Structures are given as structure tokens and as C-alpha cells.
Amino acid sequence: MNKTLLILTLILSVVISGCSSKSEIQRLDVSRDETIEMDLLSYDGDAAFEITDAYITDNPGKEKIDPEDIDEHSFVMYESQSGKVEEAYRDEFLNHNGTMKYGAMMYVLHIKVTNVNAEYKNYQEDGFDTPYIFRADNIFMNFIDEKGKAVLSKSADYFSGSRREGRHWSYFELKPGETKEYAIGFIVGKVHRENGVSYCLNQYTPCVSSMQGGLEQPAKQYQIEWEDRRECEAQSGMN
């Protein structure tokens, strides 16, 4: 093996090992408004993301979450009385009074983001007239086991500014030096079925990751102390 080939082999081995490395899980203290490190792909510059509140609810109506801001295509999985795992979409699992059925619950994050000097490089190709465009759903929810394996990686189902700023439901404009506060929510059921395997999500640790999502990619994971505000579990069954 010549010297050049040896160097290329060493470089390739480093790149491969870097791509397959496990994501780091970092403890996040919401009470201190700690900053989330976001890998802003397709952006030049920096932005700062802070989580100011994190809680679980099965009564979005009580939390003043507008059902119209919940993606109509969002769904939860539940186990029927026959033991079969079924899917229920927004108009099925969400009651008129704001409570949720089928054991569904929403993990809600309140986020404060400041655009330091970031610009979206592909804004013209995507049809925007400004480079100061961000996506609220660039933060993912991951349910992981004790070995750090992701059972479920899902995008946000709710964004508090979706109907006010138009276009794609998760986009918003933020110029350098400006700060915006908003909320996003991840809706899940008690169970999740993947590749023929059923998982009880109550047995897994929920984490938040940056825009790449999923533990199979090199995104930093944040474990949060979620405040539990669920009150309707007793009557949020299948009726």
C-alpha cells in the first residue's frame, strides 16, 4: 500500500467512525433557560435557542392550545380492546373540550430563539424573499431506551404561530438581533408500533434533539425534566 492510499484509508476510517458515533445526551435544566445547540444545516451564521418551559398535558384546551394550530395529519397509536394497535388522527383523538382520547398526551416546549446573524442559504430556491427564515419543527422528540436507542423519533405536531405567519405551518421570519418566543408540541399515545414490534412509550426516556433528529444521526440529545400537568387520564380513554 503506497503512502497516498494509506492516508486516504485513514481519513475514510475517521469519517466513517464519526458518522456512526452515538449521539451525546446532555441534561438540560429548563429553570435556568439553558441554550440548545442547534446544527443549522443550510444556514450561515448563528442563532441561540432556549427552552423556557417543558411540560406534559392531556388537556391542551386548558393550556390554551388552539386545536387549529395542531397539524390535522398528526396521529397517535393505541391498543384496542382486542389487543390490536390502531391509529387515531387529530379529529378522532381530540375532544371538543380540548381533552384528548386514547391515552394521548402532548409534550410541550416553550422556546425563545434569537437570531444572532443567521441567514438561510436556500431561501430563494424555496420561494422566500428574505434569508431570515427559520423552522419551528427543526427540534425533534426522541423516545430512547436505556442503551440510547431511539424507539420513536417524531417531528412537532403543534406550533403556536402556525396560522399567523402563513406559508408552511412551521416557518417564521426572524431578522438578526430579533427574538421570538413560541411553543411546539409533540403528540404521542401510550404505545408505538414499528416494524411489527409494539413499544410502551411510558417505559422510554423522552429526549429532544436538534434539527437532524433521530439517534442514528450525530445530533445532540437533551434530556429534560418535564412537568407533568396531566389531569384527564382517568376519563381520556376510548369514549
Side-chain angles (χ1 to χ4, degrees):
M1 183 180 293
N2 60 45
K3 188 173 182 179
T4 302
L5 184 57
L6 177 61
I7 293 175
L8 288 175
T9 302
L10 289 173
I11 293 175
L12 182 60
S13 66
V14 171
V15 171
I16 293 175
S17 65
C19 291
S20 61
S21 61
K22 289 186 176 180
S23 302
E24 175 187 353
I25 297 179
Q26 177 175 312
R27 186 72 181 176
L28 189 69
D29 188 345
V30 176
S31 64
R32 294 207 303 252
D33 296 349
E34 292 190 48
T35 300
I36 290 183
E37 293 182 21
M38 294 278 284
D39 184 9
L40 290 173
L41 300 178
S42 301
Y43 284 81
D44 288 325
D46 299 304
F49 294 82
E50 299 175 16
I51 294 181
T52 59
D53 195 9
Y55 62 88
I56 307 170
T57 181
D58 56 6
N59 191 345
K62 181 179 179 181
E63 304 296 337
K64 298 186 176 9
I65 291 175
D66 193 324
E68 292 299 320
D69 289 335
I70 297 176
D71 182 4
E72 63 179 332
H73 301 293
S74 62
F75 68 93
V76 298
M77 293 184 180
Y78 67 95
E79 188 173 335
S80 66
Q81 293 179 343
S82 64
K84 184 179 179 181
V85 175
E86 306 277 3
E87 293 180 356
Y89 286 80
R90 184 191 68 177
D91 294 338
E92 299 173 279
F93 68 73
L94 193 64
N95 290 313
H96 294 298
N97 63 359
T99 59
M100 294 193 288
K101 298 184 287 186
Y102 302 105
M105 54 187 174
M106 181 189 287
Y107 289 80
V108 183
L109 295 177
H110 285 240
I111 298 170
K112 180 167 66 176
V113 56
T114 300
N115 184 2
V116 180
N117 56 3
E119 295 185 2
Y120 182 44
K121 292 185 288 188
N122 302 326
Y123 75 97
Q124 291 179 320
E125 295 91 321
D126 289 347
F128 295 104
D129 57 6
T130 173
Y132 308 122
I133 293 296
F134 293 85
R135 288 188 61 160
D137 59 347
N138 278 337
I139 296 179
F140 288 75
M141 168 73 76
N142 297 301
F143 285 86
I144 62 173
D145 62 17
E146 67 278 1
K147 296 180 180 179
K149 178 183 177 183
V151 169
L152 171 64
S153 179
K154 77 186 309 294
S155 184
D157 300 291
Y158 159 76
F159 170 43
S160 60
S162 61
R163 290 180 298 119
R164 287 181 286 280
E165 303 206 19
R167 205 173 174 84
H168 186 282
W169 75 280
S170 69
Y171 283 101
F172 61 91
E173 181 180 354
L174 194 64
K175 297 178 181 179
E178 292 183 340
T179 297
K180 178 180 178 65
E181 296 189 41
Y182 59 89
I184 58 175
F186 306 88
I187 302 174
V188 297
K190 290 183 177 180
V191 297
H192 176 70
R193 190 166 181 81
E194 186 84 18
N195 298 322
V197 180
S198 297
Y199 302 93
C200 178
L201 293 183
N202 289 338
Q203 299 173 356
Y204 294 86
T205 302
C207 287
V208 170
S209 71
S210 62
M211 65 187 305
Q212 294 189 51
L215 285 179
E216 68 280 359
Q217 301 202 35
K220 181 168 286 190
Q221 304 290 315
Y222 296 94
Q223 185 174 343
I224 301 170
E225 187 70 37
W226 299 85
E227 181 183 348
D228 197 333
R229 299 180 187 171
R230 285 176 290 178
E231 297 180 350
C232 305
E233 183 129 9
Q235 61 260 32
S236 65
M238 299 170 59
N239 298 319

